[in-house]
Amino acid sequence: MSDALAEALAETRQALGPTARVSWGEGDDGLVRVHVTLGPARHGHTPQWGVAAYDRGFVLAELRRGVSQLQTDRALLAGRAPLTRPLSGAALLSPAAAGVFVHECFGHTSEADNYLARETSADRVLGDRWTTAPVTVRDLPRARPYAGSYDEDDEGTPSRTVTLLTEGRWTGLLTHRATRRLSGGQSTGHGRGAAGTAVPRCSVLEVEPGPYSSPELLRQMGDGWLLGTPVGGYSVNGLLVLELLWIRRARAGRLTDEVLGPAVVCAKKSALAAQVTAIGSDTVVHSSPYTCVKESYEVGSTLISPSLLLKRCVLRPLDQFGRGRRKD
């Protein structure tokens, strides 16, 4: 460990107090991971944060943001009341929550094998509109130093950028050799997995920022909920599941002190995507230490997203919600 990283980790422990558990590691490929939890892990109740990147300088810079986020989460949890019944209304996805939403809704759905598996039953096909807001999403496999980035996929194909959504319309798929017919006869270089078992996978997903600041999005929302720190996300049977540490009520475009949680959004992907009405300018990069699993194969993941405003969604108590198994 470098002196700078050791010092930064020590400062992190000191800033967060005795409940902080800080771990780190470096893989043979040079990926540096840091993970911080505030107390024993309990899903939906313990604040945690992490970062991974192929650049120690990036990790060091992100540690400061991580400390700030964990301090905010801890303060909000101190006043959090349990969510005991479903709620519905307008919602503002924080950049972190929006990143998970995009990863599940557009990233995995645009993996060519998933597209083919649902081709006869899906209510969206390539060329259709997903969002009324002009959401543009790109997969950037060469975006170093972020987790999930790579130059060549596991089939030996050079990776390339793919625009999945263009101003709300579905315009691209992620392919490997077996599905290359869906990308003009040439693989996009997204085949990941052991020899002979590779499947298309998303990597570094970026949402193009919009024109609205966070306060402007809150004013547009009026009454509703800010969806804060995500603690999990997955897809099952065409549904998107987004798990949240806390949600915070807004009234007349201003945040209140009412904080509830943990909460979960479970909705049909196309239905939830259709609720996106505005895009923020507050882009945040989350180069994640957590891997994404598909077909028992783990890959890295980075989510780059601003806030996204939803016209309506339903929020349910996480503690009353059974966790599913990813299927798409």
Side-chain angles (χ1 to χ4, degrees), residues 77-88:
L77 260 61
R80 185 187 72 173
L83 177 61
T84 58
R85 61 180 179 82
L87 302 169
S88 65

Side-chain angles (χ1 to χ4, degrees), residues 21 25 62 77 108 133 154 180 182 204 209 238 251 287 315-316:
R21 301 181 178 185
E62 286 294 286
L77 260 61
H108 284 303
D154 294 327
R180 62 185 182 272
L182 296 174
V204 179
R251 292 191 183 279
S287 188
L315 300 157
R316 296 180 171 87

